[in-house]
Amino acid sequence: MPEEKFSNLIESEKKFFKSVYATGTFTVDVVKKFFADTEKQFAELGYRENRTTEVENILVPLLDDVGDFVVAGPVLREIRRNYPAAHITLVVNKSVYPLAEFCPYVNEILKFDVDNGILLEEEIFRCIDFAGEHLLKRHFTLSFCFQYFSHRQIYLSYFSGAKIRVGHLVDREYNLYSDGEIPAPVHIANFLLTHPVIHPKEIFHDTDRSLYVLESVGLKIGATNTEIWYTGEDLFRAKKISEGFAPGRIKIALGIGGKSHPGKIYPVSQYLPALKKIISKGAAVFIFGGATETDDAKFLRENLPEEFAKNIVALKAGWRLTSALISLSDLYIGNDTGTAHIAVAAKLPVITVICEAKSEEGDFGGGIRNFRRFFPRQTPAIVLRPEKYLDGCVKNFFVGGCSAPEPHCIKQIKPDEIVAAYDKMLDYIKKNKRT
């Protein structure tokens, strides 16, 4: 590809977006004209040619955080199953890379430094630059976009030059389900898909939604389970950390993270009495979280019996070591956060505590409630929820209903409810004890 034409394509794309944002002329007709012009440039550079009858290079951008990455992960296995000879390039959020690094279904993994705090214009520029540096030279035949709230995935897909681009429509008012008819796109990203997808009304779970994207273009799904990937060295380190810790006891992986959405956090002051009772019944606890949970993890560690509580947060374990340690546990208890989805992938029974109230089942704000979207379906599970939202709580779709800047509706769940859930799980745990 001539270097001059390559540079001209990137510069014309950036010039267009800079212009429309500066002048406020972001209309449907203007956008259509721009992409018609860009398509001509892609064609001149050979990106719209029919190279062979086989799919050679496939791009999969999965750019959300750990929990969403794990939930969407089965698509990688199923793409490989359908295209055994293809070269598959995965692009992930930089923070998720360690968890994706040893995925056996892709040929290469690229890191994209996701920044959720920037303006749409800046986001598009970053996608254009990333595509220019890393993606255009790979000449992708096909790209799949799964996480329907992430516009940047569609931008990367388009600016990569991929000829066929399959993905979710991103407009929130109808992107979660439809009675079949795909409405006209009202968001710029939706102009960039050659095969836009909307879920049938009956599909609720996020894993099924992602797999439906593949089914919508005729691919066959062989399995729907989620997975985690770590090395033998990670497992060796995990065994060393857990070696000699509370022998014979039921090992609980406690997930206290998730502070990016404070309304989803169950306070450690309420976990504490529940954990004391559970420990008295023969359990021990691994405390998991990120850097923002340092103080909370220390609080629990200092207020629980030393021989039955291990502070993993203080070890600054990465995601692979965290996954290996969770896989050695017998039960997950905790918030609806990345560690919960890792536990499900490791086939641990789980008890999750979420802020989404029982009083408003079904549809919510044009979409499906988190309880149904992320239910831990491939393992025995108990999900604890408050009966209703507290007075004055402005319901928020993205954080499970509670919009408070601190633990709020979730605090209605009593510590004894966690203990009761543990008691219900006890027979299953004992029969399937791992350590």
Side-chain angles (χ1 to χ4, degrees):
M1 177 173 60
E3 187 66 29
E4 183 179 352
K5 289 186 177 181
F6 173 89
S7 300
N8 288 343
L9 172 63
I10 293 173
E11 288 308 311
S12 67
E13 288 169 345
K14 295 176 77 171
K15 182 179 179 181
F16 166 78
F17 286 107
K18 187 173 292 186
S19 171
V20 295
Y21 276 105
T23 60
T25 55
F26 221 177
T27 66
V28 170
D29 288 341
V30 169
V31 171
K32 283 183 175 179
K33 183 180 183 306
F34 164 72
F35 286 116
D37 293 341
T38 306
E39 282 298 296
K40 290 180 183 177
Q41 293 186 70
F42 274 130
E44 289 174 2
L45 292 167
Y47 286 93
R48 299 300 181 249
E49 296 175 0
N50 291 322
R51 298 179 183 281
T52 69
T53 57
E54 297 294 325
V55 172
E56 298 171 331
N57 294 322
I58 299 176
L59 172 66
V60 184
L62 288 176
L63 297 175
D64 280 339
D65 290 329
V66 166
D68 291 308
F69 174 79
V70 173
V71 169
V75 300
L76 301 172
R77 178 186 62 237
E78 300 309 308
I79 292 171
R80 173 56 71 201
R81 192 194 303 273
N82 282 271
Y83 299 105
H87 187 281
I88 301 174
T89 299
L90 172 65
V91 183
V92 297
N93 186 340
K94 184 179 178 181
S95 64
V96 173
Y97 176 78
L99 196 60
E101 185 176 4
F102 291 96
C103 172
Y105 307 116
V106 302
N107 299 89
E108 63 176 339
I109 305 174
L110 304 178
K111 293 180 278 189
F112 185 90
D113 192 4
V114 172
D115 184 348
N116 291 315
I118 62 176
L119 298 173
L120 178 59
E121 177 187 6
E122 297 174 73
E123 183 176 64
I124 292 173
F125 289 166
R126 293 178 77 232
C127 289
I128 292 171
D129 287 338
F130 186 90
E133 182 177 357
H134 300 288
L135 305 180
L136 279 167
K137 60 188 176 185
R138 286 168 166 80
H139 278 272
F140 294 106
T141 314
L142 171 64
S143 177
F144 290 104
C145 300
F146 299 97
Q147 293 147 323
Y148 41 82
F149 292 129
S150 180
H151 307 162
R152 64 174 68 89
Q153 296 190 109
I154 298 178
Y155 297 138
L156 280 182
S157 178
Y158 182 77
F159 295 125
S160 76
K163 180 180 179 182
I164 301 170
R165 302 174 300 280
V166 184
H168 293 291
L169 289 173
V170 299
D171 299 281
R172 192 187 314 170
E173 59 266 31
Y174 56 69
N175 74 333
L176 295 180
Y177 65 79
S178 168
D179 289 323
E181 182 179 354
I182 295 179
V186 296
H187 188 286
I188 183 173
N190 293 332
F191 287 95
L192 313 187
L193 296 169
T194 59
H195 294 68
V197 178
I198 284 190
H199 312 90
K201 192 172 184 178
E202 63 272 16
I203 296 183
F204 302 128
H205 199 279
D206 264 31
T207 299
D208 289 332
R209 293 177 184 179
S210 293
L211 292 171
Y212 180 76
V213 171
L214 303 181
E215 292 179 305
S216 72
V217 288
L219 275 61
K220 303 298 183 184
I221 304 304
T224 64
N225 61 293
T226 56
E227 302 178 21
I228 47 174
W229 308 292
Y230 50 80
T231 67
E233 181 181 350
D234 297 318
L235 186 59
F236 177 79
R237 291 177 61 201
K239 288 179 177 178
K240 281 292 183 182
I241 290 169
S242 59
E243 196 173 68
F245 174 60
R249 289 200 159 230
I250 291 169
K251 304 297 193 306
I252 294 172
L254 176 73
I256 61 173
K259 282 201 170 119
S260 59
H261 297 306
K264 293 173 64 176
I265 300 295
Y266 191 67
V268 290
S269 60
Q270 289 181 244
Y271 272 129
L272 181 61
L275 293 170
K276 285 183 174 179
K277 289 184 179 181
I278 289 170
I279 286 173
S280 73
K281 295 171 181 281
V285 181
F286 292 112
I287 304 166
F288 292 97
T292 56
E293 283 75 51
T294 300
D295 291 341
D296 285 347
K298 182 180 178 183
F299 167 82
L300 288 175
R301 173 65 186 78
E302 291 177 347
N303 286 279
L304 291 171
E306 182 176 358
E307 65 271 32
F308 302 133
K310 187 174 283 286
N311 183 358
I312 304 302
V313 176
L315 300 179
K316 300 180 179 179
W319 281 116
R320 292 203 312 273
L321 179 56
T322 292
S323 298
L325 281 164
I326 289 175
S327 73
L328 295 176
S329 304
D330 301 303
L331 169 70
Y332 175 86
I333 296 177
N335 303 334
D336 178 21
T337 188
T339 48
H341 298 298
I342 289 171
V344 171
K347 296 184 173 58
L348 265 67
V350 301
I351 298 170
T352 52
V353 187
I354 70 175
C355 62
E356 194 169 274
K358 298 177 183 178
S359 59
E360 298 187 39
E361 290 286 357
D363 301 347
F364 178 37
I368 305 300
R369 301 183 66 80
N370 283 4
F371 171 67
R372 304 178 83 174
R373 290 176 57 207
F374 300 114
F375 189 84
R377 63 182 186 174
Q378 69 185 44
T379 188
I382 297 174
V383 179
L384 300 175
R385 299 186 285 164
E387 291 295 329
K388 60 182 181 179
Y389 294 107
L390 292 172
D391 291 342
C393 182
V394 179
K395 293 185 286 296
N396 187 312
F397 173 74
F398 287 105
V399 294
C402 179
S403 61
E406 60 187 14
H408 183 228
C409 298
I410 200 169
K411 293 170 69 175
Q412 298 174 88
I413 299 169
K414 301 291 189 291
D416 281 347
E417 293 181 62
I418 298 176
V419 179
Y422 174 80
D423 290 340
K424 287 181 182 179
M425 285 281 196
L426 206 48
D427 284 343
Y428 178 87
I429 296 167
K430 288 179 178 178
K431 288 177 184 177
N432 297 274
K433 194 172 184 307
R434 303 185 179 200
T435 53

